[in-house]
Amino acid sequence: MANTEQSKKRARQSEARYAINKARRSRIRTFVRKVEEAIASGDSAAAAEALKNAQPELARGVTKGVLHKNTVSRKISRLSSRVKALTVKA
């Protein structure tokens, strides 16, 4: 339990940051899921559009410190290669 004023304040700040980061992570997952669903449906145009919308959201996760740079890079790379494979098939 926090005893000093400073530790109480840090606990409050930590709780607030946790809520913000949780919301941010959830938002990012939603964007990624939309890309996954578009790929699963086989609609290359929708998948490309969803990926275009998801990329800045993922990048924002890096700048805000929610996700690691390499993690986001890997996710974008894998999603874009799957979208590209979808457009080649179509």
Side-chain angles (χ1 to χ4, degrees), residues 3-76:
N3 291 321
T4 64
E5 288 300 314
Q6 181 180 354
S7 61
K8 287 177 184 175
K9 181 177 178 179
R10 291 303 299 168
R12 284 196 310 271
Q13 288 177 332
S14 177
E15 215 171 286
R17 296 305 317 160
Y18 173 75
I20 291 165
N21 289 339
K22 187 176 175 186
R24 221 172 245 134
R25 254 193 319 273
S26 174
R27 184 176 162 85
I28 290 168
R29 284 194 199 111
T30 301
F31 275 88
V32 171
R33 192 177 65 245
K34 284 179 184 173
V35 179
E36 296 277 357
E37 288 169 355
I39 290 169
S41 72
D43 187 356
S44 61
E49 184 63 29
L51 179 64
K52 193 176 124 190
N53 293 334
Q55 282 178 333
E57 205 60 43
L58 283 160
R60 198 168 297 119
V62 173
T63 59
K64 298 297 182 180
V66 177
L67 297 170
H68 193 272
K69 179 176 64 170
N70 293 354
T71 304
V72 170
S73 181
R74 185 181 65 243
K75 282 182 185 292
I76 290 173

